[in-house]
Short mmCIF file of all heavy atoms in Angstrom, two decimals:
data_model
loop_
_atom_site.label_atom_id
_atom_site.label_comp_id
_atom_site.label_asym_id
_atom_site.label_seq_id
_atom_site.Cartn_x
_atom_site.Cartn_y
_atom_site.Cartn_z
N SER A 1 0.78 -1.21 -0.01
CA SER A 1 0.00 -0.01 0.00
C SER A 1 0.82 1.25 0.01
O SER A 1 0.37 2.32 -0.32
CB SER A 1 -0.91 0.00 1.23
OG SER A 1 -0.13 -0.02 2.41
N CYS A 2 2.07 1.17 0.35
CA CYS A 2 2.93 2.36 0.39
C CYS A 2 4.38 1.95 0.16
O CYS A 2 4.83 0.98 0.73
CB CYS A 2 2.79 3.07 1.72
SG CYS A 2 3.91 4.49 1.88
N PRO A 3 5.09 2.68 -0.70
CA PRO A 3 6.49 2.30 -0.92
C PRO A 3 7.35 2.43 0.32
O PRO A 3 8.39 1.78 0.42
CB PRO A 3 6.94 3.30 -2.03
CG PRO A 3 5.98 4.45 -1.91
CD PRO A 3 4.70 3.86 -1.48
N LEU A 4 6.93 3.27 1.26
CA LEU A 4 7.71 3.41 2.50
C LEU A 4 7.67 2.14 3.33
O LEU A 4 8.50 1.94 4.17
CB LEU A 4 7.17 4.58 3.31
CG LEU A 4 7.26 5.95 2.59
CD1 LEU A 4 6.63 7.02 3.45
CD2 LEU A 4 8.71 6.31 2.31
N LEU A 5 6.66 1.29 3.07
CA LEU A 5 6.56 0.04 3.81
C LEU A 5 7.25 -1.09 3.09
O LEU A 5 7.29 -2.21 3.56
CB LEU A 5 5.08 -0.32 4.01
CG LEU A 5 4.24 0.69 4.80
CD1 LEU A 5 2.80 0.22 4.89
CD2 LEU A 5 4.82 0.88 6.18
N GLY A 6 7.75 -0.80 1.92
CA GLY A 6 8.46 -1.83 1.13
C GLY A 6 7.57 -2.34 0.02
O GLY A 6 6.44 -2.76 0.26
N VAL A 7 8.03 -2.29 -1.23
CA VAL A 7 7.20 -2.69 -2.36
C VAL A 7 7.32 -4.16 -2.60
O VAL A 7 8.41 -4.70 -2.66
CB VAL A 7 7.67 -1.91 -3.63
CG1 VAL A 7 6.86 -2.37 -4.82
CG2 VAL A 7 7.49 -0.41 -3.41
N VAL A 8 6.21 -4.83 -2.67
CA VAL A 8 6.19 -6.23 -3.00
C VAL A 8 5.91 -6.36 -4.48
O VAL A 8 4.99 -5.72 -5.03
CB VAL A 8 5.05 -6.95 -2.20
CG1 VAL A 8 4.97 -8.38 -2.60
CG2 VAL A 8 5.27 -6.75 -0.73
N ARG A 9 6.73 -7.13 -5.18
CA ARG A 9 6.57 -7.27 -6.62
C ARG A 9 5.25 -7.87 -7.00
O ARG A 9 4.67 -8.66 -6.28
CB ARG A 9 7.67 -8.18 -7.22
CG ARG A 9 9.07 -7.66 -7.10
CD ARG A 9 9.26 -6.28 -7.73
NE ARG A 9 8.53 -6.17 -8.98
CZ ARG A 9 8.81 -6.83 -10.09
NH1 ARG A 9 9.79 -7.68 -10.13
NH2 ARG A 9 8.09 -6.64 -11.19
N CYS A 10 4.72 -7.40 -8.13
CA CYS A 10 3.42 -7.88 -8.59
C CYS A 10 3.51 -9.38 -8.90
O CYS A 10 4.53 -9.87 -9.36
CB CYS A 10 2.99 -7.16 -9.85
SG CYS A 10 2.43 -5.49 -9.56
N GLN A 11 2.44 -10.07 -8.63
CA GLN A 11 2.33 -11.48 -8.99
C GLN A 11 1.39 -11.60 -10.13
O GLN A 11 0.26 -11.16 -10.05
CB GLN A 11 1.86 -12.31 -7.82
CG GLN A 11 2.80 -12.30 -6.62
CD GLN A 11 2.28 -13.15 -5.50
OE1 GLN A 11 1.16 -13.62 -5.55
NE2 GLN A 11 3.10 -13.30 -4.48
N HIS A 12 1.86 -12.19 -11.23
CA HIS A 12 1.01 -12.34 -12.42
C HIS A 12 0.12 -13.55 -12.24
O HIS A 12 0.58 -14.64 -11.98
CB HIS A 12 1.86 -12.49 -13.67
CG HIS A 12 2.67 -11.29 -14.00
ND1 HIS A 12 2.10 -10.16 -14.54
CD2 HIS A 12 4.00 -11.01 -13.80
CE1 HIS A 12 3.05 -9.23 -14.71
NE2 HIS A 12 4.18 -9.72 -14.25
N TYR A 13 -1.12 -13.34 -12.38
CA TYR A 13 -2.06 -14.46 -12.30
C TYR A 13 -3.30 -14.10 -13.09
O TYR A 13 -3.66 -12.93 -13.19
CB TYR A 13 -2.46 -14.75 -10.86
CG TYR A 13 -3.18 -13.60 -10.18
CD1 TYR A 13 -4.55 -13.48 -10.22
CD2 TYR A 13 -2.42 -12.64 -9.53
CE1 TYR A 13 -5.16 -12.43 -9.58
CE2 TYR A 13 -3.04 -11.55 -8.93
CZ TYR A 13 -4.41 -11.46 -8.95
OH TYR A 13 -5.01 -10.39 -8.34
N PRO A 14 -3.97 -15.07 -13.70
CA PRO A 14 -5.17 -14.76 -14.47
C PRO A 14 -6.34 -14.46 -13.54
O PRO A 14 -6.77 -15.32 -12.78
CB PRO A 14 -5.43 -16.06 -15.27
CG PRO A 14 -4.71 -17.12 -14.51
CD PRO A 14 -3.57 -16.47 -13.78
N PRO A 15 -6.89 -13.25 -13.55
CA PRO A 15 -8.00 -12.91 -12.65
C PRO A 15 -9.31 -13.46 -13.21
O PRO A 15 -10.20 -12.72 -13.62
CB PRO A 15 -7.98 -11.39 -12.67
CG PRO A 15 -7.48 -11.06 -14.05
CD PRO A 15 -6.53 -12.16 -14.43
N LEU A 16 -9.48 -14.75 -13.18
CA LEU A 16 -10.63 -15.39 -13.82
C LEU A 16 -11.39 -16.18 -12.79
O LEU A 16 -10.82 -16.76 -11.86
CB LEU A 16 -10.19 -16.31 -14.95
CG LEU A 16 -9.24 -15.67 -15.98
CD1 LEU A 16 -8.68 -16.75 -16.90
CD2 LEU A 16 -9.98 -14.62 -16.78
N ARG A 17 -12.70 -16.30 -12.97
CA ARG A 17 -13.53 -17.05 -12.04
C ARG A 17 -13.32 -18.55 -12.29
O ARG A 17 -12.96 -18.99 -13.37
CB ARG A 17 -15.00 -16.67 -12.19
CG ARG A 17 -15.59 -17.02 -13.54
CD ARG A 17 -16.96 -16.33 -13.70
NE ARG A 17 -17.54 -16.63 -14.99
CZ ARG A 17 -18.45 -17.54 -15.23
NH1 ARG A 17 -18.82 -18.33 -14.23
NH2 ARG A 17 -18.96 -17.71 -16.41
N ALA A 18 -13.52 -19.33 -11.25
CA ALA A 18 -13.27 -20.77 -11.33
C ALA A 18 -14.22 -21.47 -12.30
O ALA A 18 -15.35 -21.07 -12.46
CB ALA A 18 -13.43 -21.42 -9.94
N LEU A 19 -13.75 -22.51 -12.94
CA LEU A 19 -14.60 -23.29 -13.81
C LEU A 19 -15.32 -24.36 -13.00
O LEU A 19 -14.84 -24.81 -11.98
CB LEU A 19 -13.73 -23.97 -14.91
CG LEU A 19 -12.96 -23.02 -15.78
CD1 LEU A 19 -12.12 -23.82 -16.76
CD2 LEU A 19 -13.86 -22.07 -16.50
N GLN A 20 -16.41 -24.80 -13.52
CA GLN A 20 -17.21 -25.83 -12.88
C GLN A 20 -17.21 -27.07 -13.74
O GLN A 20 -17.46 -26.99 -14.95
CB GLN A 20 -18.65 -25.34 -12.65
CG GLN A 20 -18.75 -24.14 -11.74
CD GLN A 20 -18.25 -24.44 -10.33
OE1 GLN A 20 -18.47 -25.57 -9.86
NE2 GLN A 20 -17.65 -23.52 -9.70
N ALA A 21 -16.94 -28.20 -13.12
CA ALA A 21 -16.99 -29.52 -13.77
C ALA A 21 -16.16 -29.55 -15.02
O ALA A 21 -16.62 -29.94 -16.09
CB ALA A 21 -18.44 -29.89 -14.08
N SER A 22 -14.91 -29.09 -14.93
CA SER A 22 -14.06 -29.05 -16.11
C SER A 22 -13.81 -30.44 -16.71
O SER A 22 -13.84 -30.58 -17.91
CB SER A 22 -12.73 -28.36 -15.77
OG SER A 22 -12.06 -29.11 -14.77
N ALA A 23 -13.56 -31.42 -15.89
CA ALA A 23 -13.26 -32.74 -16.42
C ALA A 23 -14.47 -33.37 -17.11
O ALA A 23 -14.32 -34.22 -17.98
CB ALA A 23 -12.79 -33.65 -15.29
N THR A 24 -15.66 -32.96 -16.73
CA THR A 24 -16.85 -33.51 -17.33
C THR A 24 -16.91 -33.26 -18.83
O THR A 24 -17.44 -34.03 -19.62
CB THR A 24 -18.12 -32.94 -16.65
OG1 THR A 24 -18.02 -33.21 -15.26
CG2 THR A 24 -19.39 -33.56 -17.21
N LEU A 25 -16.33 -32.09 -19.24
CA LEU A 25 -16.36 -31.74 -20.63
C LEU A 25 -15.59 -32.76 -21.48
O LEU A 25 -16.05 -33.23 -22.48
CB LEU A 25 -15.74 -30.36 -20.82
CG LEU A 25 -16.58 -29.18 -20.37
CD1 LEU A 25 -15.79 -27.88 -20.45
CD2 LEU A 25 -17.82 -29.05 -21.26
N ARG A 26 -14.38 -33.10 -20.99
CA ARG A 26 -13.61 -34.11 -21.75
C ARG A 26 -14.26 -35.46 -21.70
O ARG A 26 -14.27 -36.21 -22.66
CB ARG A 26 -12.18 -34.16 -21.21
CG ARG A 26 -11.34 -35.19 -21.94
CD ARG A 26 -9.89 -35.00 -21.69
NE ARG A 26 -9.44 -33.76 -22.27
CZ ARG A 26 -9.17 -33.66 -23.60
NH1 ARG A 26 -9.28 -34.70 -24.39
NH2 ARG A 26 -8.76 -32.52 -24.07
N ARG A 27 -14.86 -35.80 -20.55
CA ARG A 27 -15.52 -37.09 -20.46
C ARG A 27 -16.67 -37.15 -21.48
O ARG A 27 -16.85 -38.12 -22.18
CB ARG A 27 -16.08 -37.29 -19.05
CG ARG A 27 -16.83 -38.60 -18.87
CD ARG A 27 -17.41 -38.71 -17.48
NE ARG A 27 -16.33 -38.69 -16.50
CZ ARG A 27 -16.60 -38.69 -15.19
NH1 ARG A 27 -17.84 -38.69 -14.76
NH2 ARG A 27 -15.60 -38.68 -14.32
N ALA A 28 -17.42 -36.04 -21.57
CA ALA A 28 -18.56 -35.99 -22.49
C ALA A 28 -18.10 -36.08 -23.96
O ALA A 28 -18.73 -36.73 -24.78
CB ALA A 28 -19.39 -34.73 -22.27
N SER A 29 -16.96 -35.42 -24.22
CA SER A 29 -16.47 -35.42 -25.61
C SER A 29 -15.88 -36.76 -25.98
O SER A 29 -15.80 -37.08 -27.16
CB SER A 29 -15.43 -34.32 -25.79
OG SER A 29 -14.31 -34.60 -24.98
N ASP A 30 -15.41 -37.53 -25.00
CA ASP A 30 -14.78 -38.82 -25.32
C ASP A 30 -15.78 -39.96 -25.36
O ASP A 30 -15.56 -40.96 -26.06
CB ASP A 30 -13.72 -39.16 -24.23
CG ASP A 30 -12.52 -38.27 -24.33
OD1 ASP A 30 -12.35 -37.66 -25.41
OD2 ASP A 30 -11.74 -38.19 -23.35
N GLU A 31 -16.90 -39.82 -24.64
CA GLU A 31 -17.82 -40.94 -24.54
C GLU A 31 -18.39 -41.31 -25.88
O GLU A 31 -18.53 -42.51 -26.23
CB GLU A 31 -18.96 -40.60 -23.58
CG GLU A 31 -18.55 -40.76 -22.10
CD GLU A 31 -19.71 -40.42 -21.16
OE1 GLU A 31 -20.67 -39.81 -21.64
OE2 GLU A 31 -19.62 -40.82 -20.00
N HIS A 32 -18.73 -40.29 -26.72
CA HIS A 32 -19.40 -40.61 -28.00
C HIS A 32 -18.41 -41.21 -29.00
O HIS A 32 -18.82 -41.74 -30.01
CB HIS A 32 -20.05 -39.36 -28.58
CG HIS A 32 -19.07 -38.42 -29.19
ND1 HIS A 32 -18.35 -37.51 -28.43
CD2 HIS A 32 -18.68 -38.25 -30.47
CE1 HIS A 32 -17.58 -36.79 -29.22
NE2 HIS A 32 -17.75 -37.25 -30.47
N LYS A 33 -17.09 -41.10 -28.70
CA LYS A 33 -16.08 -41.66 -29.62
C LYS A 33 -15.86 -43.16 -29.37
O LYS A 33 -15.31 -43.86 -30.22
CB LYS A 33 -14.77 -40.90 -29.46
CG LYS A 33 -14.88 -39.43 -29.79
CD LYS A 33 -13.53 -38.75 -29.59
CE LYS A 33 -13.64 -37.25 -29.84
NZ LYS A 33 -12.34 -36.57 -29.62
N LYS A 34 -16.24 -43.62 -28.20
CA LYS A 34 -15.94 -45.02 -27.85
C LYS A 34 -17.12 -45.92 -28.24
O LYS A 34 -18.28 -45.63 -27.93
CB LYS A 34 -15.69 -45.14 -26.34
CG LYS A 34 -14.45 -44.35 -25.90
CD LYS A 34 -14.15 -44.61 -24.43
CE LYS A 34 -12.87 -43.90 -24.03
NZ LYS A 34 -12.53 -44.14 -22.61
N GLU A 35 -16.83 -47.01 -28.94
CA GLU A 35 -17.85 -47.94 -29.35
C GLU A 35 -17.75 -49.22 -28.53
O GLU A 35 -16.68 -49.64 -28.18
CB GLU A 35 -17.67 -48.28 -30.85
CG GLU A 35 -17.82 -47.03 -31.74
CD GLU A 35 -17.63 -47.41 -33.20
OE1 GLU A 35 -17.32 -48.59 -33.44
OE2 GLU A 35 -17.80 -46.54 -34.05
N PRO A 36 -18.89 -49.84 -28.22
CA PRO A 36 -18.85 -51.08 -27.39
C PRO A 36 -18.23 -52.22 -28.19
O PRO A 36 -18.35 -52.32 -29.38
CB PRO A 36 -20.33 -51.33 -27.12
CG PRO A 36 -21.06 -50.63 -28.20
CD PRO A 36 -20.26 -49.43 -28.54
#
């Protein structure tokens, strides 16, 4: 908050909201490719 207190270097990170059920997408995309 103030350079007199010592500057902490910025940390780069993507300011994005969390994804929901990310693995489900790949599972859904793979299921129709597999034949019994």
Side-chain angles (χ1 to χ4, degrees):
S1 60
C2 176
L4 298 177
L5 300 179
V7 177
V8 178
R9 295 303 320 292
C10 286
Q11 296 180 354
H12 295 285
Y13 61 92
L16 309 170
R17 65 192 179 96
L19 300 179
Q20 299 296 325
S22 60
T24 304
L25 285 173
R26 179 164 293 280
R27 179 183 299 176
S29 64
D30 290 342
E31 280 181 345
H32 75 278
K33 299 178 182 179
K34 297 186 176 181
E35 298 180 357

